């Protein structure tokens, strides 16, 4: 009569409960059966992988844990490492078993001298043959599933394909079906998927750019162009001081900066967020343009192009905005720069800031690559010479210092100010208390430019040049969050005026509330 192993384990469980825990023996419950199945599965794995030996002739301790072994994850998400004498791959075991079959008269020492150094005992042969027949140990099977799934994931992401958790589940199941072993049960549970994602640093990310198949196929050519440009800049940079190597780029902002995420109640059907004008201010934009040097400094004013229906700023508006000493202001009907507005930027920011010959790095936007715009302003009448370097097309995200690091920090700063303004200080009654007014937009960027110009951020700007591949030295730096919005234990909880703290000034390091920083215009 065939014995059901689960029934045997269930009976043992009942006996244990009766004798040691004091439970009355009764027919097994559903919970007992589940526990029994798990116990049987564990017992089977132990008996299958166990090795019993009364004597040993090992030159090294057979019970010592192998070093530098990578763990994989089981069905329940728990970490699994190989047994003490399983530090030998399945392919290696096949090679050794083949050597044993070809030379049946060789003893252990002879086999070890001829390339089978992992073969320590004669009973390894039967155990390894069983493992090869079953496709390896449980650890080796789980490792194969892990590697197969990650390989498919990497291949898909290299082609920029979108991947869901269900795809990880399907790939893992495909890998598990290659084993012809009835005792190996694997279902790629949610726990396994979570553990797999954690191990390989996989998480859900918002898609920031869509690309065509043609762009993907030309990716190698793009990287080659970027690498050649980076090497060329490093070579030419030897002829200039770091202060005279500059980069400029435009960053687009919406008048009303909205967040994509918020804390809210769990389980709500839809999550709404307040916006002054979701179809206007949250979509209409203006342009901000910075210039930074390889020395880690911001060069000149911040250049802002506002969106104005008439395409011009009236005298009253200009008078209201004249308080910002570090802002050069213009406008257009779209809020974007044109060739003439870019030349205005050159006259007001670059010409007035550069005193020596300099290298000027910019992207391939047509409005700023006209050679005449530079030859008519630099290298004549005693003005410094300009060595213009244009980043190849489609290489901006790789080689542009302002794109790789600086703009992310800039927009984080603007988001912090805008969020605090809307959450605690926005007033629908008084239009002056709107972050979207011209005055407040200019004031916000004036304060941000002033804060980012502090020596505390020199290393961050230098890192922008490193992250773009134009500089070899990697500087350590503190982000905007660490410098301005992180407070140490024991620091003041309130501003000197008594209101709750908001920011730590990057210049004076004073702790300041939002009204004192923004309304009182805390400018150094």
């Amino acid at each position: 009569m065939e014995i059901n192993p689960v029934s045997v384990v269930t009976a043992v469980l009942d006996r244990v409960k009766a004798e040691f825990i004091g439970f009355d023996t009764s027919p097994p419950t559903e919970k007992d059966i589940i526990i029994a199945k798990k116990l049987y599965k564990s017992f089977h794995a132990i008996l299958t992988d166990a090795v019993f030996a009364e004597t040993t002739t090992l030159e090294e301790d057979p019970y010592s844990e192998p070093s530098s072994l990578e763990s994989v994850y089981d069905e329940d998400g728990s970490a699994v490492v190989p047994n003490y004498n399983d530090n030998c791959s399945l392919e290696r075991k096949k090679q050794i078993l083949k050597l044993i079959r070809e030379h049946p008269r060789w003893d252990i020492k002879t086999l070890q001298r001829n390339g089978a150094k992992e073969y320590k005992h004669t009973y390894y042969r039967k155990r390894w043959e069983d493992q090869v027949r079953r496709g390896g140990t449980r650890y080796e099977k789980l490792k194969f599933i892990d590697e197969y799934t990650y390989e498919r994931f990497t291949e898909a992401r290299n082609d920029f394909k979108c991947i869901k958790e269900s795809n990880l589940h399907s790939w893992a199941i495909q890998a598990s079906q290659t084993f012809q072993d009835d005792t190996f049960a694997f279902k790629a549970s949610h726990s396994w998927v979570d553990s797999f994602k954690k191990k390989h640093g996989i998480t859900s990310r918002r898609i920031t750019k869509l690309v065509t198949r043609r762009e993907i196929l030309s990716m190698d050519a793009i990287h080659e162009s970027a690498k050649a440009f980076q090497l060329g800049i490093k070579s030419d940079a030897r002829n200039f001081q770091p202060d005279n190597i500059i980069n400029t780029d435009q960053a687009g902002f919406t008048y009303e900066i909205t967040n994509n995420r918020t804390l809210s109640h769990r389980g709500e059907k839809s999550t709404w967020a307040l916006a002054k004008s979701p179809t206007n201010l949250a979509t209409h934009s203006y342009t901000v343009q910075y210039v930074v040097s390889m020395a880690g400094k911001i060069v000149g004013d911040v250049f802002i192009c506002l969106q104005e229906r008439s395409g011009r700023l009236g005298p009253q508006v200009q008078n209201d905005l004249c308080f910002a000493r570090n802002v050069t202001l213009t406008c257009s009907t779209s809020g974007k720069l044109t060739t003439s507005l870019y030349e205005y930027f050159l006259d007001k920011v670059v010409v007035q800031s550069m005193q020596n010959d300099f290298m000027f790095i910019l992207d391939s936007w047509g409005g700023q690559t006209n050679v005449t715009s530079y030859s008519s302003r630099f290298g004549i009448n005693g003005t410094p010479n300009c060595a213009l370097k244009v980043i190849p097309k489609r290489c901006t995200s790789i080689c542009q210092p302002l794109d790789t690091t600086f703009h992310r920090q800039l927009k984080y700063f603007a988001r912090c100010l805008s969020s605090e303004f809307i959450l605690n200080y926005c007033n629908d009654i008084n239009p002056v208390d709107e972050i979207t007014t011209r005055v407040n937009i200019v004031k916000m960027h004036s304060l941000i430019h002033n804060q980012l110009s502090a020596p505390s951020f020199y290393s961050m700007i230098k890192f922008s040049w490193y992250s773009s591949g134009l500089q070899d030295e990697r500087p350590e730096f503190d982000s905007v969050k660490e410098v301005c919005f992180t407070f140490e234990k024991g620091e003041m909880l309130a501003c000197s005026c008594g209101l709750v703290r908001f920011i730590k000034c990057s210049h004076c390091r004073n702790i300041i509330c939002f009204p004192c920083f923004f309304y009182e215009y805390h400018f150094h």
Side-chain angles (χ1 to χ4, degrees), residues 75-90:
E75 179 68 21
D76 58 358
S78 60
V80 178
V81 296
N83 292 333
Y84 60 85
N85 55 4
D86 273 334
N87 191 14
C88 180
S89 67
L90 186 64

Side-chain angles (χ1 to χ4, degrees), residues 2 30 50 105 111 117 312 317 333 366 438 440 488:
E2 185 177 356
E30 184 178 355
R105 296 183 178 276
L111 289 168
K117 61 180 181 179
R312 65 183 65 182
V317 174
T333 55
R438 297 185 190 92
N440 286 337
E488 302 296 333

Side-chain angles (χ1 to χ4, degrees), residues 303-425:
F303 186 72
I304 302 178
C305 179
L306 297 176
Q307 183 180 22
E308 295 292 331
R309 185 176 300 176
S310 63
R312 65 183 65 182
L313 294 171
Q316 183 60 46
V317 174
Q318 295 183 34
N319 185 62
D320 292 341
L321 300 176
C322 66
F323 68 91
R325 292 167 284 172
N326 59 346
V327 174
T328 297
L329 196 63
T330 189
C331 68
S332 67
T333 55
S334 64
K336 296 179 173 60
L337 295 183
T338 61
T339 300
S340 61
L341 290 178
Y342 178 76
E343 291 178 343
Y344 180 70
F345 158 75
L346 290 177
D347 292 331
K348 294 296 183 180
V349 179
V350 182
V351 171
Q352 297 185 19
S353 301
M354 304 309 296
Q355 308 301 324
N356 302 309
D357 294 349
F358 65 100
M359 179 192 293
F360 200 10
I361 301 172
L362 40 82
D363 59 36
S364 56
W365 173 57
Q368 63 186 12
T369 55
N370 187 355
V371 177
T372 307
S373 299
Y374 303 93
S375 61
S376 61
R377 288 170 174 80
F378 304 107
I380 58 174
N381 301 326
T383 57
N385 293 307
C386 172
L388 191 64
K389 302 292 182 182
V390 179
I391 300 172
K393 290 183 177 181
R394 300 181 183 176
C395 296
T396 302
S397 60
I398 303 173
C399 302
Q400 178 94 277
L402 284 167
D403 265 0
T404 55
T405 300
F406 184 85
H407 280 166
R408 191 182 307 115
Q409 299 293 321
L410 170 66
K411 292 189 175 184
Y412 174 81
F413 209 138
R415 217 164 29 244
C416 289
L417 290 177
S418 179
S419 298
E420 182 69 14
F421 195 109
I422 293 172
L423 184 62
N424 294 319
Y425 299 96

Side-chain angles (χ1 to χ4, degrees), residues 4 19 31 109 138 144 164 217 219 222 253 256 275 278 300 307 315 322 334 346 402 413 491 494 499 508 521:
N4 186 347
E19 294 188 6
K31 183 177 180 180
K109 291 185 177 180
R138 184 171 188 82
F144 173 80
K164 299 181 291 185
L217 295 175
M219 196 61 68
I222 292 173
F253 284 83
E256 187 168 9
Q307 183 180 22
C322 66
S334 64
L346 290 177
L402 284 167
F413 209 138
E491 287 187 318
L499 295 179
C508 62
Y521 191 55

Side-chain angles (χ1 to χ4, degrees), residues 9 35-49 74 76 138:
V9 178
I35 295 174
K37 287 181 178 180
K38 289 188 175 182
L39 286 173
Y40 173 71
K41 182 179 176 181
S42 300
F43 292 161
H44 186 275
I46 292 172
L47 292 173
T48 301
D49 292 339
D74 209 336
D76 58 358
R138 184 171 188 82

Side-chain angles (χ1 to χ4, degrees), residues 417 420-421 425 500-502 512-519:
L417 290 177
E420 182 69 14
F421 195 109
Y425 299 96
V500 176
R501 67 190 181 187
F502 168 69
I512 311 167
C513 66
F514 185 83
C516 287
F517 178 75
F518 192 83
Y519 291 117

Side-chain angles (χ1 to χ4, degrees), residues 24-266:
D24 294 332
T25 57
S26 57
T29 63
E30 184 178 355
K31 183 177 180 180
D32 292 338
I33 294 174
I34 292 174
I35 295 174
K37 287 181 178 180
K38 289 188 175 182
L39 286 173
Y40 173 71
K41 182 179 176 181
S42 300
F43 292 161
H44 186 275
I46 292 172
L47 292 173
T48 301
D49 292 339
V51 174
F52 302 94
E54 297 181 357
T55 61
T56 178
T57 58
L58 284 177
E59 298 177 1
E60 56 186 43
D61 184 5
Y63 297 97
S64 61
E65 292 290 339
S67 59
S68 303
L69 290 178
E70 182 184 22
S71 62
V72 293
Y73 291 95
D74 209 336
E75 179 68 21
D76 58 358
S78 60
V80 178
V81 296
N83 292 333
Y84 60 85
N85 55 4
D86 273 334
N87 191 14
C88 180
S89 67
L90 186 64
E91 291 301 318
R92 184 74 183 126
K93 291 173 184 177
K94 291 179 180 179
Q95 294 173 2
I96 295 174
L97 290 174
K98 181 180 178 181
L99 184 66
I100 294 173
R101 287 192 296 269
E102 291 175 351
H103 305 280
R105 296 183 178 276
W106 285 4
D107 59 13
I108 291 179
K109 291 185 177 180
T110 305
L111 289 168
Q112 291 175 348
R113 285 197 301 268
N114 286 272
K117 61 180 181 179
E118 298 90 347
Y119 188 64
K120 306 292 184 180
H121 291 280
T122 55
Y123 55 74
Y124 274 24
R125 177 175 182 176
K126 182 178 180 181
R127 182 165 179 259
W128 286 2
E129 286 175 344
D130 184 55
Q131 291 174 356
V132 169
R133 178 181 57 80
R134 292 187 289 113
T137 64
R138 184 171 188 82
Y139 170 83
E140 288 169 331
K141 294 174 185 176
L142 293 172
K143 185 177 181 182
F144 173 80
I145 293 172
D146 180 277
E147 292 175 346
Y148 177 85
T149 306
Y150 186 66
E151 184 178 342
R152 293 294 303 274
F153 169 83
T154 304
E155 180 182 340
R157 282 307 300 146
N158 287 341
D159 287 338
F160 301 103
K161 294 179 180 178
C162 297
I163 304 171
K164 299 181 291 185
E165 286 191 0
S166 59
N167 300 123
L168 300 179
H169 174 89
S170 299
W171 291 332
I173 293 298
Q174 289 176 12
S176 67
Q177 290 175 347
T178 60
F179 303 113
Q180 298 179 352
D181 184 3
D182 296 336
T183 63
F184 180 71
F186 184 83
K187 299 181 180 179
S189 65
H190 291 298
S191 298
W192 182 87
V193 173
D194 290 340
S195 299
F196 175 84
K197 288 164 57 181
K198 183 178 180 181
K199 175 184 177 182
H200 294 288
I202 298 171
T203 187
S204 177
R205 298 293 300 263
R206 184 172 66 88
I207 297 173
T208 57
K209 184 178 180 181
L210 296 174
V211 295
T212 63
R213 172 66 62 180
R214 179 179 298 178
E215 289 178 294
I216 295 174
L217 295 175
S218 63
M219 196 61 68
D220 290 339
I222 292 173
H223 282 288
E224 288 179 6
S225 298
K227 187 175 181 180
F229 179 79
Q230 291 165 344
L231 293 175
I233 293 295
K234 290 177 184 177
S235 176
D236 295 341
R238 300 167 187 166
N239 302 321
F240 299 89
Q241 293 296 322
D243 282 312
N244 297 323
I245 303 174
I246 61 174
N247 171 233
T248 188
D249 190 30
Q250 304 164 21
F253 284 83
T254 55
Y255 279 88
E256 187 168 9
I257 301 174
T258 56
N259 290 314
N260 294 326
R261 310 185 76 87
T262 181
L263 295 178
S264 191
H265 296 289
R266 182 179 296 174

